[in-house]
Amino acid sequence: MIRIGAMVSGGGTNLQAVLDAIDAGKIDGQVVTVVSSKEGAYAMERAAKHNIPSVVISKKDYPNGGFEKALIDHFKSMNVDLIILAGYMTILGEEFIKAFENKIMNIHPALIPSFCGDGFYGLRVHKAALEKGVKVTGATVHFVSPITDAGPIILQKAVEVLDDDTPEVLQKRVMEQAEWILLPEACEDIAKQLDEGEDKWALI
């Protein structure tokens, strides 16, 4: 059984997709902790409804350093096998990423390498796709590396762009048709590998 730690900043719809997949028996695992970058994130309420302990670890609370170490200490204390960034809006540093190398997954709302990297997050991604005039966009699950959105790709799924799309409409379609499908699938694949005794994910 895989032990998953989730990092969130907002509503937590991607977290909910993973929780639903666990409840449905698709993922042999459990979310054992939810870490929010800020107080009041609705994702923490989703965690509470599933009796999952949550905590706020905010970069602003560590003006003199120590933020990365606080994250490392927390996730190690929870003995996590995998960390998922489910709408997490704080840039992670190299210290944290190297402590959990190839064990941190992110969901990005575009088909990497398009519309990714520094500055591409949230609605900005969908605005850029519409401004470029692409006919297909999508989402990508990838492992996190020190370079933003440059880690090994795990899964991708394409989503059609329609002529009358707004960034908000396109964002919702990408969530429904790609993000909420891909992240649980990636967790399921890694959980199966863990059950089979793999010590290095075959997805990388």
Side-chain angles (χ1 to χ4, degrees), residues 41-171:
Y42 185 71
M44 297 179 76
E45 292 191 32
R46 297 181 189 274
K49 290 176 181 177
H50 280 74
N51 297 314
I52 301 167
S54 62
V55 63
V56 175
I57 302 178
S58 175
K59 199 169 191 176
K60 68 180 182 179
D61 294 331
Y62 296 88
N64 300 317
F67 172 65
E68 305 283 329
K69 185 177 186 303
L71 288 175
I72 292 168
D73 289 347
H74 176 74
F75 283 113
K76 285 191 173 180
S77 73
M78 299 303 296
N79 194 29
V80 298
D81 301 303
L82 177 69
I83 297 170
I84 59 172
L85 307 187
Y88 186 71
M89 304 302 285
T90 298
I91 297 296
L92 294 168
E94 192 168 342
E95 180 185 0
F96 178 74
I97 293 169
K98 286 195 171 182
F100 297 97
E101 190 171 7
N102 292 326
K103 291 185 177 181
I104 310 170
M105 291 196 316
N106 181 50
I107 180 82
H108 183 75
L111 295 173
I112 292 174
S114 298
F115 312 115
C116 66
D118 292 340
F120 284 97
Y121 60 88
L123 279 175
R124 291 186 180 189
V125 176
H126 305 294
K127 287 178 181 177
L130 292 175
E131 288 170 0
K132 195 70 174 178
V134 298
K135 298 303 180 185
V136 175
T137 185
T140 303
V141 177
H142 65 95
F143 284 114
V144 175
S145 72
I147 300 173
T148 307
D149 298 330
I153 291 173
I154 301 168
L155 294 172
Q156 291 185 304
K157 192 174 190 301
V159 174
E160 184 180 9
V161 179
L162 303 180
D163 292 340
D164 59 350
D165 274 341
T166 64
E168 292 79 7
V169 169
L170 183 57
Q171 181 184 53

Side-chain angles (χ1 to χ4, degrees), residues 16-52:
Q16 188 65 55
V18 171
L19 294 174
D20 290 346
I22 291 172
D23 289 345
K26 295 179 180 178
I27 300 172
D28 181 19
Q30 63 181 129
V31 176
V32 296
T33 183
V34 172
V35 173
S36 177
S37 63
K38 62 183 181 180
E39 297 281 356
Y42 185 71
M44 297 179 76
E45 292 191 32
R46 297 181 189 274
K49 290 176 181 177
H50 280 74
N51 297 314
I52 301 167

